[in-house]
Amino acid sequence: MFRNDSRPLVTAPAETAVLALLLAEGPLSRVELARRTGLSSTAITKAARPLIDDGYLHELAPERTAPGAGRPVNPLAVTPDREFFVGVKISDDRLFGVVCDLRARVRATAGRTLGDCRPEAVSGLLTELVGELLDAEPAFRERTRHLGIAVSGDVDRASGRVRFSGRLGWSDVPLAAMVSASTGLTVTVENDVKALTIAEHWWFGEGVGTGYFALVTIGAGIGSAIVVNGQLVKGAYGVAGEMGHICVDPAGPRCRCGSAGCVEAIASSGAILEAVRRGTGLRGLAFEQAVEMAREGNPVAREAFARAGRAIGVAIATLVNLVGPERVVVSGEGTDTYDLFGQHIKDAYASHTFGAAGRCPLSLRPLPWEEWARGAAAVAVQALFP
Amino acid sequence: MFRNDSRPLVTAPAETAVLALLLAEGPLSRVELARRTGLSSTAITKAARPLIDDGYLHELAPERTAPGAGRPVNPLAVTPDREFFVGVKISDDRLFGVVCDLRARVRATAGRTLGDCRPEAVSGLLTELVGELLDAEPAFRERTRHLGIAVSGDVDRASGRVRFSGRLGWSDVPLAAMVSASTGLTVTVENDVKALTIAEHWWFGEGVGTGYFALVTIGAGIGSAIVVNGQLVKGAYGVAGEMGHICVDPAGPRCRCGSAGCVEAIASSGAILEAVRRGTGLRGLAFEQAVEMAREGNPVAREAFARAGRAIGVAIATLVNLVGPERVVVSGEGTDTYDLFGQHIKDAYASHTFGAAGRCPLSLRPLPWEEWARGAAAVAVQALFP
């Protein structure tokens, strides 16, 4: 995170716990908050007070659960409009941005086509996009302090630098500092898959409440992020969840990372297209055409998708055997062609999971671009915390 | 754990934290304990009091670090002989047991050759072995309440059942209940690699103090255990770290788990032997002979070890890319033939790790059988905790 405004909203552990629970789970009574955090009701009341005074929390009207069930309770709730957060996903051909409120609702969206991937060009276009988003409602400009940016590759969140992004051709780009200077916002940069997983696990979605969870994305890149004991796995050297670069076939094709047999070298949309082009001799084929050929039964195209599906299934089984998630969500733009490789993913997954680890279900979740940007906004919300 | 005596020694969080720190790191002053736990000095003194009264902790003689450096401090230390712990490792051809004191020192050892792997036979021989160990010193029988057992396979520690162990041919064996009944001890059963990792990470060894750590064992089986954010990865369904059953070659040999291309099907000592037998036609070859042939330069034998080394290196790189440990310890009886595949492990590891994750060093650590049994004893010590 690159801080223009370096003070987190909450600092004390009790405040942090109360705000995080209410953000993820909606209104809760003080009694329920005390039970869930292990704190006393007095501590909850004390922790909530400054957040109520600041307008982040409010009390709902009293509700009495049953006649004679004791004195009425006023559940505490997050005030959605107290602050807004901008999230922007950078892909190699476009920017997509959202404004979210504190309860993760998308309040505005905007996009830009990206022609030039150089850092200065991206930063300039991104600044323009943020301006458009904040202009959508007067309240946005008044009450937005944080911007989250999600980008594929190796990101050092603490310093706000993109250490490496193969898809953008970036190496050590101080993105947070650049965009903070041009927008005046506090900027947090995170790897896109991690950002989405934070959103799914911490803010909303299937992962909330699970101790072990993984999210896998397929498409132009293959990635994953893993939650263990309720926390995102970050890795001692800042790298983890690199499912796209695990080797599933020693005889497999070379990968742009320099290694060979990586999942991404077999199963990314680019790798599938390349296999179809090579097998058919049609060098000018577009990905959409390869998809169409496979759907029409062309054996070369069908086998390219099948091989990709097997590689993805083996890789997910590998992750599951090592880490043991409760469930895995499979997402990303590659889910658009799930009809072509879904069964191969499932079969390979089933045959390579070990013992009880294989009880972990895979759930398919097509994600619109908006969700990626909402992941970036989740990271911006985390800047409220220490 | 199967509890004969269900009360843990410590229950309050402060007591738990103080005892765990002193067990792992040796004598510490109250000031240092306060700093490390985030508790007040008063809370530390209060937490230590019952443990001192019970004889688990004692105060060392006052030490003054420098002239005029303030009032002298009496560091707190664990009293090693207050309680003893038996640890037994079960392999497919022997039992090996130790008595450890509270500071992880091995105070007695004993072993048995295992002819019959059926659960009743193993339980009987194990009971005999525990009797021999406890007879080594009168204090052992007086002050031993806990037995830890380490066994390969899928273990449900909570119920004390071995759900599946391919090497022993076991399926759903209530081992803790059986051995608890015959020895009168509180018995905890754990997967052997996890037990060793707990010992290395929690009690002594290279892993103490690391947030991200992994231990990989090679030999008759291939396994691993992983620590993330300071905690052992257990998996939502009780299975994690199954490095032996990740698929590294879709064209690889069938594995006894029913799948194909597993690391264990290529790189276990049995798989290496099988490859040398098949390649040379020498069906009666023993593993030691295969090792000798490779050391003498036989190309078939050398290639079998090389292929095993590549499979292990790719698998460790996979673990590192997904989880990002700070360091990986490679251990197990397979380290005896490290001269034959060590370079292949290192080369494959280096070429398949991604980005900064590859900064994680591999350290080789040959482990005598005693260490496996000490791992089992570490699990017994954990029964003191809630």
Side-chain angles (χ1 to χ4, degrees):
Chain A
M1 179 172 47
F2 191 86
R3 298 162 187 262
N4 272 341
D5 165 1
S6 68
R7 195 181 62 87
L9 175 67
V10 286
T11 48
E15 280 178 51
T16 303
V18 167
L19 183 59
L21 266 175
L22 294 173
L23 278 174
E25 309 200 7
L28 293 170
S29 70
R30 287 182 173 83
V31 172
E32 182 63 14
L33 283 165
R35 194 184 67 76
R36 296 283 295 278
T37 56
L39 297 166
S40 68
S41 285
T42 316
I44 295 293
T45 297
K46 194 177 155 208
R49 176 52 49 205
L51 291 166
I52 295 172
D53 291 347
D54 272 0
Y56 283 89
L57 302 184
H58 64 280
E59 291 189 347
L60 296 182
E63 57 181 30
R64 195 191 288 275
T65 48
R71 67 194 173 91
V73 294
N74 297 60
L76 285 170
V78 165
T79 310
D81 285 14
R82 173 59 184 84
E83 186 169 345
F84 299 99
F85 300 84
V86 178
V88 177
K89 152 84 175 175
I90 305 177
S91 82
D92 53 4
D93 61 357
R94 57 177 146 171
L95 303 180
F96 198 89
V98 295
V99 177
C100 283
D101 64 28
L102 273 164
R103 284 292 288 140
R105 257 179 311 171
V106 172
R107 303 285 291 265
T109 64
R112 287 284 187 284
T113 300
L114 199 58
D116 180 348
C117 279
R118 281 174 298 181
E120 294 71 23
V122 172
S123 168
L125 204 62
L126 202 154
T127 304
E128 205 183 292
L129 179 72
V130 170
E132 180 186 329
L133 285 164
L134 294 182
D135 283 339
E137 279 189 37
F140 295 165
R141 205 166 270 285
E142 281 162 29
R143 298 203 290 275
T144 301
R145 300 181 298 149
H146 295 95
L147 164 63
I149 303 177
V151 55
S152 72
D154 179 0
V155 174
D156 182 23
R157 179 167 168 167
S159 68
R161 298 178 92 87
V162 178
R163 286 195 287 228
F164 177 77
S165 177
R167 283 161 74 184
L168 292 167
W170 288 7
S171 179
D172 199 32
V173 172
L175 186 64
M178 292 166 71
V179 177
S180 183
S182 60
T183 61
L185 298 173
T186 297
V187 178
T188 309
V189 184
E190 181 57 283
N191 166 276
D192 53 358
V193 183
K194 286 197 179 122
L196 197 56
T197 304
I198 288 165
E200 287 279 325
H201 177 260
W202 179 81
W203 205 15
F204 58 83
E206 279 202 46
V208 167
T210 58
Y212 288 82
F213 173 71
L215 184 140
V216 170
T217 58
I218 56 179
I222 310 276
S224 73
I226 305 168
V227 170
V228 164
N229 291 321
Q231 293 180 284
L232 189 69
V233 177
K234 295 181 178 174
Y237 303 99
V239 177
E242 285 293 350
M243 208 182 85
H245 298 283
I246 66 180
C247 174
V248 290
D249 186 353
R254 289 216 74 79
C255 182
R256 60 186 162 188
C257 78
S259 190
C262 295
V263 178
E264 216 168 270
I266 299 167
S268 70
S269 44
I272 295 171
L273 176 59
E274 183 52 33
V276 180
R277 284 177 173 170
R278 204 171 27 212
T280 58
L282 301 167
R283 300 304 310 174
L285 208 67
F287 185 68
E288 291 65 28
Q289 294 171 300
V291 169
E292 203 179 325
M293 285 171 68
R295 288 193 176 132
E296 283 168 356
N298 177 291
V300 170
R302 290 192 73 78
E303 174 53 23
F305 278 97
R307 190 181 180 201
R310 289 191 297 267
I312 294 167
V314 164
I316 301 175
T318 294
L319 186 159
V320 165
N321 290 345
L322 288 176
V323 181
E326 189 176 328
R327 75 187 68 175
V328 173
V329 168
V330 180
S331 195
E333 75 276 12
T335 56
D336 295 347
T337 54
Y338 208 72
D339 58 311
L340 294 172
F341 55 31
Q343 196 57 49
H344 300 282
I345 292 176
K346 284 187 230 161
D347 289 349
Y349 174 74
S351 80
H352 290 287
T353 46
F354 185 74
R359 283 171 12 206
C360 168
L362 301 186
S363 33
L364 181 70
R365 174 100 61 85
L367 284 192
W369 281 99
E370 183 182 304
E371 291 297 304
W372 286 100
R374 200 155 68 132
V379 171
V381 175
Q382 288 196 320
L384 297 178
F385 291 84
Chain B
M1 178 172 47
F2 192 87
R3 299 163 187 259
N4 272 342
D5 164 2
S6 68
R7 196 181 60 87
L9 175 66
V10 286
T11 48
E15 282 179 50
T16 302
V18 167
L19 182 60
L21 265 175
L22 293 173
L23 279 173
E25 308 200 11
L28 292 170
S29 70
R30 286 181 173 83
V31 172
E32 182 62 15
L33 283 166
R35 194 184 66 76
R36 296 283 296 278
T37 57
L39 296 166
S40 68
S41 286
T42 316
I44 296 292
T45 298
K46 194 177 156 207
R49 177 52 49 206
L51 291 167
I52 294 173
D53 291 346
D54 272 0
Y56 282 89
L57 302 184
H58 63 280
E59 291 189 348
L60 296 182
E63 57 181 31
R64 195 189 289 273
T65 48
R71 65 194 174 92
V73 293
N74 297 60
L76 285 170
V78 165
T79 310
D81 285 15
R82 173 60 183 83
E83 185 167 346
F84 299 99
F85 300 83
V86 179
V88 177
K89 153 83 175 177
I90 305 177
S91 81
D92 52 3
D93 61 357
R94 59 179 145 171
L95 303 180
F96 197 90
V98 295
V99 177
C100 282
D101 64 28
L102 271 163
R103 282 293 286 141
R105 257 180 312 171
V106 172
R107 303 286 290 266
T109 64
R112 288 283 187 286
T113 300
L114 199 59
D116 180 347
C117 279
R118 280 174 298 180
E120 293 72 22
V122 172
S123 168
L125 203 63
L126 201 155
T127 304
E128 205 183 291
L129 179 73
V130 170
E132 180 186 329
L133 285 163
L134 294 183
D135 282 340
E137 277 190 37
F140 294 165
R141 204 165 271 285
E142 280 162 31
R143 298 203 291 275
T144 300
R145 300 180 297 148
H146 295 97
L147 164 63
I149 303 176
V151 55
S152 73
D154 179 0
V155 174
D156 181 24
R157 179 168 169 168
S159 68
R161 299 178 90 90
V162 179
R163 285 194 287 227
F164 178 76
S165 176
R167 284 160 74 185
L168 293 168
W170 287 7
S171 177
D172 199 32
V173 172
L175 186 64
M178 291 166 71
V179 177
S180 183
S182 60
T183 61
L185 298 172
T186 298
V187 179
T188 309
V189 184
E190 182 57 283
N191 167 276
D192 52 358
V193 183
K194 286 197 180 124
L196 196 57
T197 305
I198 288 164
E200 287 278 324
H201 178 260
W202 179 80
W203 205 15
F204 57 83
E206 279 202 48
V208 167
T210 56
Y212 288 82
F213 173 71
L215 184 140
V216 170
T217 59
I218 56 178
I222 311 276
S224 74
I226 305 167
V227 171
V228 164
N229 291 321
Q231 292 181 285
L232 189 70
V233 177
K234 295 181 177 173
Y237 303 99
V239 177
E242 286 293 351
M243 209 183 83
H245 297 284
I246 67 180
C247 174
V248 290
D249 186 353
R254 290 216 74 79
C255 181
R256 59 184 162 190
C257 77
S259 190
C262 294
V263 178
E264 216 168 271
I266 299 166
S268 69
S269 44
I272 295 170
L273 176 59
E274 182 52 33
V276 180
R277 283 176 173 171
R278 206 172 25 213
T280 59
L282 300 167
R283 297 305 308 174
L285 208 67
F287 184 68
E288 292 66 26
Q289 294 171 299
V291 170
E292 204 179 323
M293 286 170 69
R295 287 193 177 133
E296 284 167 357
N298 177 292
V300 170
R302 290 192 73 79
E303 174 53 24
F305 278 96
R307 189 181 181 202
R310 290 192 295 267
I312 293 167
V314 164
I316 300 175
T318 295
L319 187 157
V320 164
N321 289 346
L322 288 176
V323 182
E326 188 176 329
R327 74 187 68 174
V328 172
V329 169
V330 180
S331 195
E333 74 275 15
T335 57
D336 295 348
T337 53
Y338 207 71
D339 58 311
L340 293 172
F341 54 32
Q343 196 57 49
H344 300 282
I345 292 176
K346 284 187 231 161
D347 290 347
Y349 174 73
S351 80
H352 290 286
T353 46
F354 185 73
R359 283 169 16 204
C360 168
L362 301 186
S363 33
L364 181 69
R365 173 101 60 84
L367 284 190
W369 281 99
E370 184 181 304
E371 290 298 304
W372 285 100
R374 200 155 69 131
V379 171
V381 175
Q382 289 196 319
L384 297 178
F385 291 83

